[in-house]
């Protein structure tokens, strides 16, 4: 059974049909990439799922519950997580304190109780940091971390809510190729360990081919193809609309195979 079932979802801004009647499913434990050129409607889709934007039409079912019309906070409570950038104000806190904050927030505690409650959640926070490979740096301020490490902490923060579905809109933006692969390998590991589902957007086709279980392709608000990476690679409509030529795509697939080999991922 699918965890997320999106049916005929649509949203317009003025005369622009940003998302124009798309339908797709997402199963638990699945890593689904949403790709498409700039302006295709990817972020609009994400923001309808997380409740930041209200859909004009269609349905978004999570475990059979309708999400359209619910507030972001309610949707978050139902188990839809997303990665946030660590705010400036929290950068002076340590790595583990940032995760403790997220755990307290999940437990309805107010930030003002943080100082008092800090010790309670420390072990839980350390366990999450262990999962993202950041336990050794737990007591360092976030402000001194390398960029790729900050992204790992942000992932641990998103995990504090134990999401069933994690939304990641361009999670690897601004990262070097090696860091990108490392973050996605980690995400894939979390998907496997927790049976969590992930919906993500990504510009690097190397990353998409190496890690996505399945892909959906948007162009001008319409869903033009969906399937496994290799099916998408060979899809004439995708090559035409998205990539312009098949040649580029073959090159990309070759590179992805090399990445796969390097990280030891399944083919
Ligand atoms: P993507 O994330 O795939 O690049 P978006 O979902 O951000 O695409 O945008 C889809 C289309 O909707 C674009 O034409 C964009 O200009 C338009 N759009 C997105 N958000 C808004 C907004 N808040 N107001 C007006 N137009 C928007
Ligand atoms: Mg976007």
């Amino acid at each position: 059974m699918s965890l997320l079932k999106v049916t005929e979802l649509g949203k317009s801004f003025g005369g622009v049909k940003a998302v124009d009647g798309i339908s797709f499913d997402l199963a638990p434990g699945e890593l689904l990439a949403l790709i498409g050129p700039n302006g295709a409607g990817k972020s609009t889709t994400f923001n309808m799922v997380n409740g930041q934007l209200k859909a004009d039409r269609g349905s978004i079912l999570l475990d059979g519950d309708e999400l359209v019309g619910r507030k972001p906070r309610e949707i978050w409570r139902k188990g839809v997580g997303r990665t946030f950038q660590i705010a400036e104000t929290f950068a002076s806190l340590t790595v583990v304190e940032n995760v403790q904050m997220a755990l307290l927030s999940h437990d309805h505690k107010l930030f003002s109780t943080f100082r008092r409650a800090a010790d309670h959640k420390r072990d839980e926070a350390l366990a999450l940091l262990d999962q993202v490979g950041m336990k050794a740096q737990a007591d360092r301020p976030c402000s001194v971390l390398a960029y790729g490490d900050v992204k790992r902490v942000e992932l641990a923060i998103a995990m504090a809510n134990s999401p069933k579905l994690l939304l990641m809109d361009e999670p690897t933006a601004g990262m070097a190729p090696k860091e990108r692969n490392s973050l996605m390998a980690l995400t894939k590991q979390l998907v496997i360990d927790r049976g969590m589902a992930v919906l993500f957007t990504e510009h690097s086709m190397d990353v998409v081919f190496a890690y996505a279980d399945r892909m959906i392709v948007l162009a001008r608000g319409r869903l033009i193809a969906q399937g496994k990476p290799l099916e998408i690679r060979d899809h004439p409509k995708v090559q035409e609309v998205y990539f312009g030529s098949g040649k580029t795509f073959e090159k990309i697939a070759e590179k992805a195979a090399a990445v796969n080999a390097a990280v030891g991922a399944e083919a």
Side-chain angles (χ1 to χ4, degrees):
M1 198 194 127
S2 58
L3 171 69
L4 188 76
K5 188 168 180 54
V6 171
T7 312
E8 287 298 318
L9 191 66
K11 177 83 187 171
S12 296
F13 297 105
V16 179
K17 288 180 174 173
V19 175
D20 190 9
I22 66 168
S23 303
F24 64 92
D25 283 31
L26 183 52
E30 195 174 32
L31 201 53
L32 180 65
L34 181 54
I35 69 163
N38 275 336
K42 303 181 297 294
S43 293
T44 304
T45 301
F46 269 81
N47 290 332
M48 286 191 279
V49 176
N50 71 33
Q52 302 275 106
L53 283 174
K54 188 170 185 302
D56 295 339
R57 64 186 173 102
S59 157
I60 305 169
L61 297 179
L62 181 79
D63 277 335
D65 279 351
E66 184 58 68
L67 300 185
V68 174
R70 291 186 189 274
K71 296 202 162 58
R73 182 91 189 164
E74 279 179 272
I75 293 173
W76 180 75
R77 288 238 164 266
K78 285 187 170 290
V80 179
R82 50 188 281 229
T83 45
F84 283 96
Q85 288 196 338
I86 292 172
E88 285 286 313
T89 40
F90 293 169
S92 62
L93 295 179
T94 64
V95 167
V96 70
E97 283 169 346
N98 265 283
V99 180
Q100 284 173 285
M101 288 278 236
L103 287 166
L104 290 170
S105 163
H106 179 47
D107 294 348
H108 303 261
K109 298 266 166 42
L110 294 171
F111 285 166
S112 58
T113 68
F114 172 62
R115 289 292 163 205
R116 196 157 39 85
D119 289 342
H120 295 302
K121 291 282 170 182
R122 190 177 157 91
D123 290 348
E124 214 175 308
L126 288 174
L128 281 168
L129 287 170
D130 199 21
Q131 285 194 29
V132 301
M134 286 297 293
K135 196 177 172 183
Q137 301 195 61
D139 293 313
R140 301 184 75 199
C142 276
S143 57
V144 305
L145 299 181
Y147 189 69
D149 288 342
V150 171
K151 294 286 152 189
R152 285 171 177 266
V153 178
E154 286 171 2
L155 199 51
I157 288 170
M159 289 301 118
N161 185 38
S162 304
K164 294 180 201 166
L165 167 64
L166 182 64
L167 305 174
M168 303 170 90
D169 197 359
E170 302 192 28
T172 71
M175 297 178 101
K178 206 177 147 198
E179 282 181 329
R180 290 180 182 210
N181 280 299
S182 148
L183 186 75
M184 289 313 297
L186 171 62
T187 305
K188 183 134 192 158
Q189 195 57 52
L190 291 171
V191 164
I192 293 165
D193 292 349
R194 295 171 162 249
M196 175 180 76
V198 173
L199 180 64
F200 75 109
T201 61
E202 172 61 55
H203 284 302
S204 158
M205 284 303 118
D206 295 359
V207 170
V208 171
F209 273 89
Y211 297 103
D213 295 314
R214 210 152 51 81
M215 306 165 62
I216 55 184
V217 188
L218 294 188
R220 295 189 185 157
R222 313 274 312 185
L223 198 154
I224 60 163
Q226 57 180 317
K228 293 192 184 302
L230 289 180
E231 293 164 358
I232 295 295
R233 188 195 65 178
D234 299 331
H235 200 293
K237 216 166 162 189
V238 176
Q239 300 202 343
E240 181 192 314
V241 176
Y242 188 33
F243 297 96
S245 91
K247 255 186 187 163
T248 332
F249 220 5
E250 271 162 32
K251 247 192 184 162
I252 286 163
E254 269 169 36
K255 258 176 117 181
V259 170
N260 259 327
V263 300
E266 287 167 40

